[in-house]
Amino acid sequence: MRKPTLLRCSLLFGLLLPIVAGATELYRYTDDQGVTVLGRQGVPPEFIGKGYEVLNDQGRVIKVIPPAPSAEEMQRLLADKARANSDAQLLRLYSTPEDIDRARDRKLAELDGLIGVARSNLQSARMQQGNLQSQAADHERAGRAVPEHLLAQIDNQKDEQLRQYKDIARYQEARKQAQDSFAADRQRLAELLGRRR
């Protein structure tokens, strides 16, 4: 019988010890009027962001919680972290600026290939439209109405040409962005490698 009672007392003491020990801590913070407040109840949520100190029962500071960063500081910290991650990734991908040049050349060749295919498709659509319009003109010269399916095919070829123009413009924009991106990466890698020397 004695063991369970002793065990319960030990458990109860173990649960109460942090409460008793925590009761001797004081919290020092500044309120919204700029007055320094010393209390045992903790720091109200609206003042936590300003930072505070935890003191022991002798009044010695045992922990300092710094103020939360301002929105500008937080933005700068996030930008610095993003830049560090970007730099680390750049160093993982490329060992030298020449590696970037080779990757750029491959990407530009791929985009040039897509532009070439789109131009070829555009030329083909123009030729098909020309042939269809010639057939439509033959019908008109013979005094017959141009069949609906022929007019629909001509419209389809016009739409196809428009799609190809848009694709070419999109690929050319992607090419420009790739050149700019690789140039920026090359410059940044050179800076990072220069710092290591």
Side-chain angles (χ1 to χ4, degrees), residues 22 25-31 35-56 59-69:
E25 289 182 342
L26 296 169
Y27 299 89
R28 181 166 52 198
Y29 61 93
T30 305
D31 67 11
V35 176
T36 300
V37 178
L38 196 60
R40 294 187 186 280
Q41 302 300 318
V43 181
E46 63 269 23
F47 302 125
I48 288 177
K50 295 181 177 183
Y52 60 92
E53 296 173 331
V54 181
L55 292 76
N56 64 15
R60 292 195 185 108
V61 175
I62 57 173
K63 191 173 186 182
V64 175
I65 307 300

Side-chain angles (χ1 to χ4, degrees), residues 76-156:
R76 185 183 49 77
L77 290 171
L78 290 173
D80 289 348
K81 184 177 180 181
R83 182 62 162 196
N85 288 340
S86 174
D87 289 348
Q89 183 178 0
L90 193 62
L91 289 167
R92 275 194 305 272
L93 289 173
Y94 306 110
S95 301
T96 66
E98 290 75 22
D99 292 341
I100 293 177
D101 293 343
R102 285 188 287 277
R104 179 202 60 212
D105 293 345
R106 281 191 303 272
K107 183 65 177 177
L108 296 181
E110 175 188 328
L111 290 167
D112 287 343
L114 292 171
I115 291 169
V117 168
R119 284 185 175 151
S120 176
N121 290 342
L122 175 61
Q123 185 62 30
S124 175
R126 283 182 185 154
M127 287 175 58
Q128 287 183 23
Q129 180 187 346
N131 290 338
L132 292 168
Q133 285 177 330
S134 177
Q135 291 175 32
D138 288 345
H139 282 285
E140 287 176 345
R141 280 192 292 273
R144 296 185 305 261
V146 179
E148 287 297 319
H149 75 278
L150 195 55
L151 293 173
Q153 288 176 333
I154 291 171
D155 287 341
N156 287 342

